Amino acid sequence: MKKEKFLKKIVLPIFLLVCGLVYSFICPPYSQYDLAWFGLAPLLIALRFCRPRNGFLLGLCFGSGFWFASIFWFLSLGNKGCPFFLVVISYVLLALACAAFTGVFAMLVSRLWQGVTYISYDKYLEEQDRLDDLDDREYERESKKYDLQMRALGRKIAFAETWRVPVIALIWVGLEYLRELAGFSWNTLAVSQYKIYPVAQLSAIGGTAAISFMIVAVNAGIAGTAVRIWRLLYSHEYPRIKRHFDLWLVLILVLVVMVSGVKRYKTLEKEIQYLDSPDELLLVGAINNHDTPYLQEQLSSVDIFNNLLNSTYEMSTNRFDVIIWPETSVPFLLPEERFDNLMTEFVNKGNFQIIVGGVENVNPSSEKFDLGYNVSYFYSPNEEKSIYRKRHLVPFGEYLPLDETIPFIRNFAPFGYSVCAGNGAQLFNIKGVETGMLICFEDTFSWTARESVNSGARLLISHSNDMWFDMLSEKIQHHANAVFRAIETRTPLIRVSNEGYMGLVLPTGRIVQLYSPSDDTLREYVIPRSKNAAPTLYMRLGNWILAIPAAIFVCGFIGFLFYERYKNKRLSEIEKKDIKE
């Protein structure tokens, strides 16, 4: 008994912690995409044999292993001037918060399996002994009756184990969406498949939620099959189910997705290859200046600005349609009249366009700067500049909660000031192509790209500043998360970053002209002009296809558990009262 308790209380949580750590290898830079399809099975198997409270703890262990490993890059903020103890505290809290979603998933799944019971081998032998004691006529009648009961129970359990597979996947998808609403959509299970183009095409139908749904469903099918084989060979529980309908169901689903994905991918790739005339292509220049005014201590703001200008002058001789600077690359506050005049003169002489990233002061007349916008300025020949303001901000990074209501809180912001969120998708017209902008963290959220494309964008540009993190894993994870914005909207996406991965993502999700953080400062991209193709199903309905209904189901399930607990508590109190009386 002590040994069994030791295995359940100590060994199993540690084992699942290690399993979660190993499962983090599905994320870039390791990108073990095949592990995603079966690496969740150990947790799902363990949840078949525990109560909801223990299930939450097991899920928390698995989630902790996954998240502490996959966002380990967060600690590199300590090398960028942030107090290291605050970085460590933030890292631990963020990892545990994400792991808590896995814990809730495990709690709900373990509750879902309650009520699916087999007959133990001992009880089966007892029933056989009872039948053996009967005379021949009664034995024949009772044995037939018992066989019919066992067959009925087998069909009932087989049905229960089959329909629970999509429900388990639905729970995971709902919690992923709730995590996104909480402000952190990083590293969904779908990200592991960003290079598996046939599977990635599924995001054009149901977003990344559809891919995560399929991955969890396959894991659940494998887990259910493993449990039934163990019961068949070792525990000898009855009924003896030898047909694995749940596994066949998910395998057929995978086959359909792969076949349709390959067909769709090849069709779209052919359409892109036909765009080979100069009038159908955009020539885009991107700058990775390897400097940023907020992190670089060795260079002054003047040196950084001169480096940007020199790079832009060098690119202006190559007849680019547009030149893009990274996020927050302008080393002084905007708006700045002399800077506007310089950029306007620059684009008028060279007959090209420029997109720059900077910080805009909300109150230029104020003596103290404590509130700003993260902006993209667009300069075009003989036109007024256009401004895009970042819509989705990084909590506890760009702003602190309630800082607009209580301005004093802004003094504790990481940059010494807070950032306001912009309103709406401002499009830039690049040589006749309406272009939607995404700034840094925004390209990990589907709604920002959808809003831009629904407003008329036929090209998406995301510029970021990944110099905050030294580790390569953050940079490639950021790029992998952004790839799905191109597939969901069937719109080309170009990413420009300081010390990050830069590349062109085609509407199929295929990454071309990819540059690593250490590559040359100047990059160029030849981008096909996107045709006015029919919007995808995901563009029309968004997360209402799968993620939102799944989140509503999860909230209802949690509400049911609270009601069930309250009801059981009331019944217990009534029983105690009756006993006393």
Side-chain angles (χ1 to χ4, degrees), residues 393-547:
L393 306 177
V394 181
F396 299 98
E398 291 177 308
Y399 76 98
L400 298 175
L402 301 177
D403 60 358
E404 292 190 24
T405 306
I406 310 175
F408 176 74
I409 296 178
R410 299 170 191 165
N411 296 321
F412 301 97
F415 302 126
Y417 64 90
S418 285
V419 179
C420 296
N423 295 317
Q426 173 67 44
L427 304 184
F428 298 158
N429 190 294
I430 300 177
K431 302 298 182 181
V433 178
E434 294 294 335
T435 303
M437 295 299 301
L438 305 172
I439 298 179
C440 195
F441 196 51
E442 286 185 318
D443 59 17
T444 66
F445 293 87
S446 59
W447 71 268
T448 53
R450 283 184 58 246
E451 187 177 55
S452 295
V453 175
N454 282 332
S455 299
R458 290 191 291 135
L459 172 66
L460 294 172
I461 293 177
S462 170
H463 56 170
S464 306
N465 185 355
D466 287 313
M467 283 192 72
W468 288 99
F469 305 99
D470 292 333
M471 294 186 181
L472 189 67
S473 54
E474 184 278 336
K475 305 172 192 300
I476 189 61
Q477 284 179 19
H478 192 175
H479 188 75
N481 277 268
V483 165
F484 292 94
R485 307 295 84 81
I487 306 173
E488 291 164 351
T489 61
R490 294 299 185 203
T491 305
L493 166 71
I494 182 169
R495 292 195 71 247
V496 179
S497 176
N498 256 354
E499 287 292 312
Y501 278 86
M502 297 169 61
L504 168 63
V505 184
L506 297 178
T508 58
R510 183 163 63 91
I511 305 169
V512 296
Q513 297 170 279
L514 180 66
Y515 298 92
S516 69
S518 59
D519 283 338
D520 294 336
T521 299
L522 309 179
R523 295 99 183 265
E524 61 181 58
Y525 305 92
V526 179
I527 302 176
R529 293 175 184 255
S530 177
K531 303 293 184 182
N532 291 322
T536 63
L537 182 62
Y538 187 70
M539 282 297 299
R540 295 192 190 101
L541 301 179
N543 287 317
W544 282 103
I545 297 173
L546 182 58

Side-chain angles (χ1 to χ4, degrees), residues 29-48:
Y30 308 105
S31 298
Q32 299 298 314
Y33 65 88
D34 50 347
L35 178 62
W37 298 94
F38 61 87
L40 195 62
L43 173 63
L44 296 175
I45 291 172
L47 298 178
R48 296 286 294 267

Side-chain angles (χ1 to χ4, degrees), residues 289-357:
N289 60 321
H290 298 283
D291 302 315
T292 184
Y294 306 103
L295 298 177
Q296 186 60 256
E297 298 178 355
Q298 297 177 351
L299 296 178
S300 66
S301 296
V302 174
D303 292 331
I304 294 172
F305 186 56
N306 287 335
N307 289 343
L308 283 167
L309 286 181
N310 292 334
S311 298
T312 306
Y313 277 119
E314 185 178 343
M315 289 191 119
S316 65
T317 60
N318 295 328
R319 299 295 180 183
F320 286 99
D321 293 308
V322 63
I323 297 175
I324 308 170
W325 293 10
E327 175 199 13
T328 60
S329 53
V330 178
F332 42 78
L333 288 176
L334 300 173
E336 171 60 50
E337 185 177 355
R338 289 176 297 176
F339 177 74
D340 289 342
N341 294 336
L342 177 62
M343 290 294 104
T344 301
E345 181 182 357
F346 203 11
V347 297
N348 286 337
K349 286 183 177 180
N351 194 30
F352 61 92
Q353 298 166 313
I354 292 181
I355 298 174
V356 304

Side-chain angles (χ1 to χ4, degrees), residues 30 107 116-117 144 161 179 181 191 230 239 272 293 306 382 386 419 422 433 442 467 494 498 504 507 516 522 546 553:
Y30 308 105
M107 178 185 70
V116 180
T117 55
K144 286 183 179 180
E161 295 203 352
R179 178 163 62 85
L181 293 181
V191 173
W230 176 79
I272 294 171
N306 287 335
N382 304 314
S386 300
V419 179
V433 178
E442 286 185 318
M467 283 192 72
I494 182 169
N498 256 354
L504 168 63
S516 69
L522 309 179
L546 182 58
F553 172 76

